[in-house]
Every structure is written in structure tokens, then in C-alpha cells.
Amino acid sequence: MDKSILDKRNLAKLKALNNPKVMQIVEKYIKLCKPAKVTVLTDSKEDIAYVRKLALDNKEEKKLAMKGHTIHFDGYYDQARDKANTKVLISGDVCLSKAVNCGERESCLKEIFEFLDGVMKGKEMLVRFFCLGPINSEFSIPSLQITDSAYVAHSEDLLYRQGYEEFKRLNGSENFFHFVHSAGRLENMKTADIDKRRIYIDLEEDRVLSINNQYAGNSIGLKKLALRLAIKKAHQEDWLCEHMFIMGVHPEGKNRVTYFTGAFPSACGKTATAMIPGQTIIGDDIAYLIADNDGRVRAANVEKGIFGIIQDVNPVDDPIIYKTLATPRELIVSNVLVKDGKPYWLGMGQELPKEGFNFSGEWKQGKKDNDGNEIPPAHKNARYTIRINDLDNTDPKADDPKGVPIGGIIYGGRDSDTNVPLYQSFSWHHGVFLGACIESETTAATLGKEGVRVHNPMANIDFLVIPLGIYIKNHIKFGEKVDMPPLIFSTNYFLKGKDGKFLNEKVDKKVWLMWMEGRIHEEFHAIETPIGFIPKYKDLKKLFKQIFDKEYTKEDYEKQFTIRIKNLLARFDRIKEIYQKEPGIPSIFVEHMNQQVKRLEKAKEKFGKENISPFEFENQ
Ligand code: SPV
Ligand code: MN
């Protein structure tokens, strides 16, 4: 190895790990990417500070007026996850699933290795070590990140636990993930060759290769790229790897905490749920779930930070995050509007300047892009990156190596006209069915058109690397393995009335949460409907009064909880069609689908109408 590229000091840091595979990987990508210089980083404060400074020196980040705050811009066409160019590499013609975007391994590797060849010429390669999950625990997965982006490496310091020491604990084992990323050729610090953006998931080598991008959902190895590798690992080792938050729910006046996980498609209220006032947060995006020896499900946060959507974070709707973003600390914001060193975003609760600097460069109100579309002041998918323990509501068990026992699982979606705001599944199996039937309208978190209704089982479809049938089977088996499976609930915060207005206030989710928590402790009865158990009016009325001192009317309840048979049947028709094309769907799932449709048809016949009031089910 050329000593002017990898000097003695950096080499020594690698050697101290005593891990031949780490050495091989680093050497391989030095040879291929041809960086001018390689810097190996440990968990030391000095090394972490080095990365932070490098992001500024490289101009990948700029200081904002508030101490510790920096701004990063992704390119104009690099503002969200690129689903089309993210592929799971498959050898031969193994049939995965309609839902999984696959590429032929050999030709994809050939392509991306060509793109990677010399891509770091004149640049500095950073070699970093992190740990997915709490360190030194059952959940830990050591991960090696190689990148030429100091922004990526800096973000990972905020988002993941340090892992250099974890690699030492590996004792030379090859059991780790690795990620190679390059932002590619840069113009004004933006990726120039966006048309050559590729993210290839190579399950055979437990690695992901990602090139020509900067947006964190594409670039940061440990986030959505590791999620894909971990889904395969979980499948092989009989645990679950989910696109879920973890939170502690604390009902008022009761001396207890009940932990929940929740899976919501991107930009559908997942972080907002985990941040409901008065509760505690463990994680907002990715969870590992294991069945413990006491017959319980335990979950741990894979991350230690939040890469959250900044739109609509304001003192009224998100007071805790707003305060964190408005006080000095180390944090990164991306793709917002900057004027005089201050960041501005959509829905922040104040008027935005008419000009400044944003993801399109110098910006003035009315500026249009090349396609003639007006450029908003800040991108809808603009984000903030913070440490979770910088929030006032961090759960004391956030880093517990044992994780936390899970009492409930919530599946959410964005649905304007079909699902009631809240219901509970009849059983674990029915709950798996419910999660596997999530349908949601697309958002700005992925490239492409917004507002299109798509099927998104367990909100995890974008990240699946195993056939959907196997994934569902794993969920079914997982619940059978434990004595006390969590109760499974469904929420929909986006139901609209005939006038097109939302039927619920944003804050109502706190009431739903307290009802779910109470159900786990057998404090509420419920009404049986064809889709599952829904809350009784009297219980919600009490909760609204207790929590918000608000009169919750019968009319509101009835509008929200009417069972919309026609829309539900249409929805299950759509989903049935998707599953009919999927190989290997477990028979128990098909059975649930058939029973579900039958129950809806029976109710339609019995009540002789398409929209049935919850009171009718209560009185039957
Ligand atoms: C999501 O889109 O689900 C996110 C952000 O959590 S990203 O990192 O882009 O996946
Ligand atoms: Mn996510």
C-alpha cells in the first residue's frame, strides 16, 4: 500500500482491529476508488472532531448563525430516496417478489465497479466504524463505512453509536456489514452525474455500494442501506427488522410505562407519534425486535439520532423538536432556505423570507426550475439531523443493551377515505394481516409523484430484500414463538370528510395512543366490527376530556368511526390482486383475507347499507 495514501498512523488504527476482512475491504476500495488520501477514524473525540471540521473545510456543510448548527444541501435532483436505482443484486433467476427491485448481480457489480473506478481521485477517503443497535449487546451489528463524503460521516456520528471498539470485540470475525459510498464527481459540491446514481445491495457479501448521491436515505450506509442487509440477517436468524419507531407511553396518573413500536410509511406521522407530548422516545425510524427467553418481544433502536422531516416542525405542533432545533448544539439541517445564517422551512410557524439560498442555489420567490415548476423556499423533504438524547423526552432505556419489552405495535398509513382512525386487530395473526395490508398515499420522501395510493406492507416494502411471502411468514412465526405477543393496532391520521377537510386534529393521536395503552392493560372494552375492535364513544369522550379538556361529540365520533364497507371492499380487492401475483403467500394469510372480505359482505347484507355507524355495531 502506498504510504503517501494510507500513512503509518492510519494503517496502525486498522491493524489494531486485528481483522483481516476489514483490511482486505479497505485495501480493495483504495485500489478501486484511488483516493488521494485515506483517513481511518476511531471512536476518539479527536477523530470525531476531525470529521466535523472536514465537512466544513470541504464546504459540504456551512456554519449557520446558531452555535454548532450547520447546513448541507443535496443536489436539486437528489432530494429523496431513489427507488428506481436501488437494487438488490441477485445471482441467476431466483424469483424474489414483485415488490423487490432486483438487478442481475454480475452485470450490476460490473457497472458499479466501473463507476467506482477512480471516483475518489483527488479526494479523501474516510474509513469509519459504527454499531447498529446498542453496543456490546444482543442487538449489535458492527458496520464499516467507507465514504468520500464528510457530510455522510458527520451525519453518522449524530445518528449511530460509535463502533471502533465494537470491531475490536469482533475478535477478527467476518460478521459485520460494510458500506462503500461516493458522492461522485462534484460541481459546486453537488453530485454532477445524477444519471449514474446507483445503490446496489449485495446480500452475498453483506455490503452496499452507493455512488453519485448525497441525500442521506441514499448515501448513509447505516440507515436505509443497512436496513436491507439486516432484513436478510433477521430472516436467517429468526428475529424481525422493521421500519419502526420505539416509544414509551405514560398514561397520566398511572405509574407505568408501556412500550410501543410503530411502522408508518415515510412522512405519515411516524416521528410525530414517537414525539407525542408527555411520552418518551427511544427511536423514530428502525427497530430490531427479538423474542426473549421470558416469552416477550423486546426491541432496540438501531440508531441514536433522528434524521427527521423539518416541514411543519413549529412551536405548536412539535414543541420539543422545535426547541432542540432553536438552541445551540451540534446539528445539521438540509435543504432548507438560509438567509443571513438563519434556516427557514415550510410550516415553521413564521413568515419565510422572499429570497435566500436554498436547494436550488440563490433563490427568489417565483424562481422556476428547468421544467418550469416554481421552486418552493425549502424542500418538502428537507430534514434535520440530531442526537436523540438532545431531546427533552428521551427514554431512560434508549441505550439499554437489553432493549425494552413491547406491549403494542401500531401500523399507520395515509388514507383519506377508507380506514377508521384507530382499530385493534383480533389477534397476532390478524394483526400481521393488517400490517401486510397497509396502503398509503405516496409522499415527498421518495422521488416520483405524490399522492398515489400504494401498497406498503409493514411500511417496509421499499426495503424488502426477501420475498414478501417469506417476510409475512416470518412475522406470523415470530408472534407464535412468544407467550405474550404485543397487541396490534392500526391508525390513520389522514381521514377526510366530504368537504375534503381532515376529520381529526393532529393532536388527536394522543387520545388514540392512550386508548391503545389502556387496551393492553385491559382497561377499556371495545366494539367488534368486521375489520377489528374499535373504541367505544364513551371511552374516547372521557379521554378527550381528560387529555385536552375537550368535548368530543357523538357526531365527530360517528363520522370518524363509520365503517366504510364499499371503500374497504375495494381496498381489499386491490390488495388481494397484489397478493395473488406474489409467490409463497402463507395460507393462513389467504384465509384471513377471505374471512375479512366475508365479514364485510355479511355486515353490508345485515345492515343493508355501505356505511355503517359504530353505534349500530355497538347495539347489535
Ligand atoms: C424515510 O424516508 O423513511 C426516512 C428518511 O426515514 S430516509 O433516510 O430517506 O429513508
Ligand atoms: Mn424511515
Side-chain angles (χ1 to χ4, degrees):
M1 190 53 57
D2 184 340
K3 287 200 178 92
S4 67
I5 298 173
L6 179 66
D7 68 17
K8 236 166 111 181
R9 206 170 58 94
N10 283 290
L11 183 64
K13 290 182 185 173
L14 282 180
K15 281 193 170 158
L17 296 175
N18 257 323
N19 194 308
K21 187 174 166 192
V22 168
M23 214 58 147
Q24 266 168 23
I25 291 170
V26 175
E27 278 174 7
K28 178 185 169 101
Y29 292 100
I30 292 176
K31 260 197 208 128
L32 182 64
C33 304
K34 305 181 178 60
K37 175 183 173 191
V38 177
T39 305
V40 178
L41 290 313
T42 67
D43 301 347
S44 75
K45 274 198 181 127
E46 298 73 47
D47 283 8
I48 292 167
Y50 176 86
V51 171
R52 193 160 56 227
K53 183 167 176 300
L54 187 65
L56 291 168
D57 292 349
N58 282 351
K59 303 203 166 30
E60 289 179 77
E61 290 175 36
K62 283 206 178 89
K63 281 189 182 178
L64 291 170
M66 182 94 51
K67 192 164 180 277
H69 293 202
T70 56
I71 167 84
H72 165 81
F73 288 107
D74 301 301
Y76 189 75
Y77 297 101
D78 191 20
Q79 295 285 318
R81 277 189 279 112
D82 180 358
K83 282 173 39 169
N85 287 304
T86 304
K87 293 186 180 164
V88 184
L89 306 188
I90 299 295
S91 299
D93 55 357
V94 187
C95 174
L96 267 183
S97 183
K98 286 242 173 319
V100 183
N101 191 12
C102 296
E104 198 278 316
R105 183 167 186 265
E106 208 175 308
S107 56
C108 284
L109 285 180
K110 186 166 171 283
E111 180 194 36
I112 203 160
F113 282 141
E114 271 169 29
F115 290 176
L116 283 167
D117 192 356
V119 75
M120 294 189 191
K121 273 185 189 160
K123 293 203 214 170
E124 179 169 350
M125 174 191 273
L126 302 172
V127 180
R128 308 227 46 193
F129 302 90
F130 294 101
C131 180
L132 295 161
I135 54 169
N136 206 4
S137 80
E138 220 180 319
F139 295 98
S140 313
I141 304 178
S143 296
L144 162 63
Q145 170 83 64
I146 295 175
T147 179
D148 59 14
S149 164
Y151 160 69
V152 165
H154 179 206
S155 300
E156 287 177 332
D157 273 325
L158 296 169
L159 294 171
Y160 301 96
R161 292 145 177 131
Q162 298 298 327
Y164 185 76
E165 293 305 315
E166 195 69 30
F167 267 78
K168 284 191 183 163
R169 275 191 284 275
L170 267 178
N171 253 329
S173 147
E174 300 194 344
N175 202 358
F176 61 86
F177 292 166
H178 69 285
F179 305 96
V180 181
H181 165 258
S182 171
R185 190 168 61 84
L186 300 176
E187 279 168 7
N188 285 330
M189 295 319 293
K190 302 292 164 332
T191 295
D193 302 313
I194 280 293
D195 56 321
K196 292 188 179 144
R197 176 169 49 202
R198 300 288 182 273
I199 300 133
Y200 287 163
I201 323 284
D202 186 12
L203 302 173
E204 282 185 33
E205 297 276 343
D206 269 340
R207 72 176 162 189
V208 181
L209 308 172
S210 170
I211 188 168
N212 291 318
N213 63 68
Q214 295 187 47
Y215 172 70
N218 298 319
S219 61
I220 291 185
L222 280 89
K223 202 167 193 42
K224 293 312 200 309
L225 314 189
L227 171 56
R228 281 126 168 156
L229 298 181
I231 285 176
K232 186 203 98 184
K233 194 171 165 66
H235 161 59
Q236 289 171 332
E237 299 172 357
D238 278 344
W239 47 278
L240 296 180
C241 175
E242 299 303 311
H243 190 203
M244 285 177 168
F245 69 67
I246 309 173
M247 71 184 297
V249 177
H250 306 256
E252 234 169 274
K254 308 213 163 110
N255 198 12
R256 67 183 186 224
V257 51
T258 310
Y259 289 102
F260 277 74
T261 63
F264 293 58
S266 305
C268 290
K270 182 147 133 274
T271 308
T273 306
M275 290 297 299
I276 289 176
Q279 320 312 311
T280 49
I281 182 167
I282 290 190
D284 89 317
D285 201 30
I286 306 165
Y288 293 161
L289 277 64
I290 58 166
D292 72 11
N293 294 333
D294 301 328
R296 303 209 62 163
V297 172
R298 301 188 80 85
N301 182 20
V302 171
E303 314 183 281
K304 66 154 198 202
I306 298 183
F307 174 63
I309 294 177
I310 202 164
Q311 180 167 332
D312 294 333
V313 173
N314 59 57
V316 176
D317 295 325
D318 257 318
I320 302 174
I321 294 180
Y322 189 85
K323 184 180 148 212
T324 304
L325 297 182
T327 41
R329 72 189 65 254
E330 184 182 354
L331 66 77
I332 310 170
V333 288
S334 57
N335 307 319
V336 297
L337 175 69
V338 179
K339 175 98 167 62
D340 300 329
K342 269 191 70 184
Y344 296 89
W345 56 89
L346 306 171
M348 73 187 292
Q350 54 177 279
E351 211 177 311
L352 306 192
K354 306 269 181 285
E355 57 179 33
F357 200 91
N358 78 358
F359 62 110
S360 71
E362 291 294 344
W363 175 87
K364 246 197 179 115
Q365 196 170 40
K367 182 178 176 183
K368 299 215 161 100
D369 68 11
N370 292 339
D371 303 321
N373 300 318
E374 186 158 340
I375 301 170
H379 196 272
K380 275 183 161 184
N381 196 31
R383 301 248 171 184
Y384 59 86
T385 305
I386 55 170
R387 294 188 177 90
I388 286 183
N389 59 19
D390 276 347
L391 296 169
D392 288 344
N393 57 338
T394 313
D395 190 273
K397 294 202 166 152
D399 288 309
D400 195 320
K402 294 199 298 295
V404 291
I406 299 302
I409 294 178
I410 309 171
Y411 288 115
R414 182 180 286 265
D415 164 24
S416 52
D417 62 9
T418 306
N419 247 352
V420 292
L422 170 66
Y423 66 98
Q424 182 196 333
S425 73
F426 295 123
S427 63
W428 173 266
H429 288 175
H430 180 237
V432 172
F433 167 79
L434 177 165
C437 289
I438 295 182
E439 234 189 7
S440 197
E441 291 151 27
T442 50
T443 66
T446 51
L447 298 172
K449 208 167 172 278
E450 283 179 52
V452 181
R453 212 186 280 257
V454 294
H455 174 226
N456 192 347
M458 280 71 177
N460 215 1
I461 195 80
D462 288 357
F463 315 108
L464 279 199
V465 295
I466 57 174
L468 186 51
I470 292 181
Y471 176 70
I472 291 172
K473 205 180 285 172
N474 290 347
H475 271 258
I476 291 172
K477 273 192 331 209
F478 186 75
E480 287 170 353
K481 221 165 46 172
V482 293
D483 303 329
M484 285 174 285
L487 300 190
I488 298 181
F489 301 91
S490 158
T491 59
N492 172 24
Y493 304 151
F494 302 93
L495 190 63
K496 288 180 177 170
K498 287 198 187 86
D499 56 0
K501 291 202 181 116
F502 287 116
L503 285 180
N504 287 101
E505 306 273 343
K506 279 187 188 171
V507 293
D508 292 359
K509 52 174 98 66
K510 183 166 181 177
V511 171
W512 307 160
L513 194 63
M514 292 308 157
W515 184 80
M516 294 186 260
E517 204 274 345
R519 282 292 287 172
I520 292 167
H521 295 276
E522 298 179 353
E523 289 173 353
F524 301 120
H525 291 292
I527 304 169
E528 189 175 332
T529 76
I531 52 170
F533 297 116
I534 62 169
K536 290 189 162 204
Y537 170 66
K538 74 169 177 50
D539 294 324
L540 291 185
K541 182 180 159 68
K542 216 163 103 192
L543 284 169
F544 268 104
K545 185 80 196 156
Q546 204 179 58
I547 296 169
F548 298 123
D549 194 20
K550 180 180 159 175
E551 294 307 327
Y552 181 59
T553 66
K554 270 190 176 173
E555 290 70 37
D556 276 349
Y557 170 75
E558 195 161 28
K559 266 192 224 151
Q560 293 160 12
F561 286 89
T562 285
I563 304 296
R564 296 159 180 79
I565 304 270
K566 188 171 150 206
N567 292 0
L568 282 161
L569 281 170
R571 171 168 171 249
F572 286 114
D573 255 359
R574 288 191 293 273
I575 295 169
K576 206 167 165 182
E577 205 183 312
I578 295 170
Y579 278 107
Q580 272 162 356
K581 291 185 194 137
E582 278 292 330
I585 296 299
S587 56
I588 182 160
F589 179 87
V590 178
E591 186 55 24
H592 271 285
M593 177 64 87
N594 294 339
Q595 283 172 8
Q596 178 62 82
V597 171
K598 244 189 232 155
R599 282 195 302 270
L600 286 164
E601 278 167 350
K602 228 170 109 187
K604 185 171 141 184
E605 209 175 288
K606 178 172 172 189
F607 295 100
K609 50 181 147 181
E610 314 238 81
N611 292 324
I612 306 169
S613 156
F615 293 115
E616 298 200 48
F617 285 109
E618 190 171 21
N619 298 329
Q620 70 185 327

